[in-house]
């Protein structure tokens, strides 16, 4: 059965990215805010390309993420309207930051057709950045844990609870698949350049930033 036009378009996007990466030393260009693909709902993976091309795309997306550097990258961020993201986090080297932010290492994961729902009513708020909005960060409140569903590269179903900083990464990347960017959910009074975050707000928590910049934190973070 031939592919419909939308799926054929996704396949063409994938092959264009693979070609660009081949010409760029294995790294693809990252799409920046303002490109309409970042505001569109992605197509679920449904065999638009074969397993070899899909695995190659995962490798390119991981290489692009690491080169940026970043800890997550979604299909639209490389110009592909496909429900797919990669994520990998080395964790925090600072023990206090790791404890406050619940930031433990997360090994590489590739997720297709991802969706999530809160697994708790407790929200936590920390600075986030995005490879598609370089140079800036803002505070975003997200669930401390989420329920993630999807499939992996082998087509094996994923259904698990993801907690802490890993939940933040996964939620951020999954939002991209629905055309949502982190600034849509951010406390805009917290918007800061990377330089300002390093200079003023390099504490494990965001309480000082909330107090001095004038935004509200979830009640669970005020104890």
């Amino acid at each position: 059965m031939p592919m419909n036009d939308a799926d054929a378009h996704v396949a063409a996007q994938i092959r264009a990215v693979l070609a660009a990466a081949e010409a760029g030393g294995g790294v693809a260009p990252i799409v920046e805010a303002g490109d309409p693909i970042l505001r569109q709902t992605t197509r679920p993976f449904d065999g638009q390309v074969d397993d070899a091309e899909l695995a190659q795309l995962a490798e390119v997306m991981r290489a692009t993420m690491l080169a940026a550097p970043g800890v997550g990258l979604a299909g639209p961020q490389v110009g592909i309207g496909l429900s797919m993201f990669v994520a990998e986090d080395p964790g925090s080297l600072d023990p206090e930051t790791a404890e406050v932010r619940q930031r433990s290492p997360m090994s590489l994961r590739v997720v297709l057709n991802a969706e999530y729902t809160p697994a708790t009513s407790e929200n936590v708020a920390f600075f986030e950045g995005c490879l598609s909005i370089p140079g800036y960060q803002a505070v975003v409140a997200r669930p401390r844990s989420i329920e993630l569903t999807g499939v992996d590269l082998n087509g094996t179903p994923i259904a698990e609870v993801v907690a802490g900083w890993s939940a933040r990464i996964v939620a951020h990347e999954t939002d991209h698949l629905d055309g949502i960017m982190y600034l849509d959910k951010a406390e805009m009074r917290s918007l800061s350049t990377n330089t300002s975050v390093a200079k003023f707000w390099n504490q494990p928590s965001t309480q000082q930033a909330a107090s001095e910049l004038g935004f509200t934190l979830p009640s669970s973070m005020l104890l």
Side-chain angles (χ1 to χ4, degrees):
M1 180 181 297
M3 277 190 278
N4 61 39
D5 289 345
D7 285 334
H9 183 58
V10 168
Q13 290 174 328
I14 292 171
R15 289 169 183 142
V17 168
L18 294 181
E22 185 175 1
V27 173
I30 294 178
V31 171
E32 294 189 354
D35 190 308
I37 197 167
L38 292 171
R39 292 307 194 175
Q40 295 167 5
T41 300
T42 56
R43 300 279 298 175
F45 179 72
D46 189 26
Q48 290 93 340
V49 293
D50 62 26
D51 292 348
E53 285 178 300
L54 186 65
Q56 187 180 357
L57 175 60
E59 292 177 4
V60 165
M61 288 177 63
R62 179 177 186 260
T64 303
M65 172 187 71
L66 295 177
V71 294
L73 189 70
Q77 293 182 276
V78 290
I80 300 172
L82 180 69
S83 183
M84 175 178 178
F85 74 79
V86 298
E88 185 176 4
D89 183 24
S92 176
L93 296 177
D94 176 63
E96 183 182 1
T97 299
E99 180 179 2
V100 171
R101 300 182 185 180
Q102 291 185 287
R103 187 169 185 177
S104 301
M106 177 175 62
S107 58
L108 174 66
R109 57 188 317 154
V110 181
V111 183
L112 303 164
N113 305 342
E115 296 182 0
Y116 76 91
T117 56
T120 175
S121 60
E122 182 182 1
N123 287 337
V124 288
F126 295 104
F127 278 98
E128 283 184 27
C130 180
L131 297 179
S132 293
I133 311 175
Y136 291 89
Q137 297 179 47
V139 172
V140 182
R142 295 191 185 273
R144 189 179 289 277
S145 60
I146 61 172
E147 295 182 7
L148 170 68
T149 60
V151 296
D152 66 16
L153 277 180
N154 299 316
T156 303
I158 296 169
E160 63 180 274
V161 174
V162 184
W165 199 263
S166 295
R168 178 170 298 272
I169 296 169
V170 167
H172 178 118
E173 300 308 328
T174 305
D175 280 351
H176 272 300
L177 308 179
D178 289 321
I180 298 168
M181 302 183 75
Y182 84 100
L183 288 181
D184 299 334
K185 298 183 173 183
E187 292 284 351
M188 291 307 294
R189 291 184 68 93
S190 72
L191 183 65
S192 307
T193 64
N194 289 345
T195 300
S196 291
V197 172
K199 181 178 180 179
F200 298 111
W201 316 125
N202 196 29
Q203 305 86 20
S205 79
T206 45
Q207 291 192 17
Q208 183 178 343
S211 175
E212 296 191 30
L213 295 179
F215 60 90
T216 301
L217 290 174
S219 58
S220 61
M221 299 189 68
L222 303 177
L223 301 177

